[in-house]
Amino acid sequence: MVGEGRVKLGGYLSDYLPETRGRIANADQITVQMLLQHRSGIPNFTDHELFHWGELEIDVIDLIYDQPANFKPGIDYQYSNSNYFLLQKIIAQITGAPHGEYIKRTLLKPLGLSNTYFSTNEVDKKHLVSGYHLGYDDDLRHLEHGYVSTAKELAIFIRALNEGTFFSDYEAQLYSANYQYGHTGWVLGYQSVARYFEQEDMVVVQFVSTTGNDLAILNNILYERVIEIIRSI
């Protein structure tokens, strides 16, 4: 959207979402780029005392509003899901439609990603892998955690980012300057890692359907071991 001239990296949060002025600390100083790079100082709504991974009826914006900043915009880094929730709202504000519609049209459909969804409610539950948290017997796949995809389609997406499928040369430069081509994920019952390795020209995706205790650390060790084995072949 920056490449299209519809968003400015230096544009302020309060300019795109005027309702955040006075409700989010430093909204008139936080830029789109700071949101992208987790340098806004806006607290992570998943750390809010009222947030619960098993609660399906949470209005996220209520957990973001009226919270003290963790630091002044631009002076530090702290991962916060609040940043990307607000970026979704900016996309919706500009396009006049849910952010997912823009992503489907510009990213998912051109890549033929027909098994990637924005909600677990869009997926037949019999096709969704069960998820568990240590100490609990319940299957957690009924929880609304947002985006759902397959390992294959995630790999296609990550590769497309690295090959610049979506972007003009200018947009590719903007993207690489602001973001890394990889991600880890954690929601109740599910963990994931997806990274591109330029030297080997490969994408390695790891999905794990259990969370709790030290599994996040163990899964990272296993992931790194898989990379070692692939590189030794």
Side-chain angles (χ1 to χ4, degrees), residues 38 42 44 47 77-81 83-84 183-184:
H38 296 291
I42 300 173
N44 188 354
D47 294 334
Y77 167 92
Q78 185 177 54
Y79 187 92
S80 174
N81 291 295
N83 292 317
Y84 277 74
H183 209 314
T184 61

Side-chain angles (χ1 to χ4, degrees), residues 33 58 76 109 121 141 164 180 189:
Q33 188 173 40
I58 293 176
D76 203 351
K109 286 185 178 180
N121 294 325
R141 62 180 167 178
Q180 293 183 346

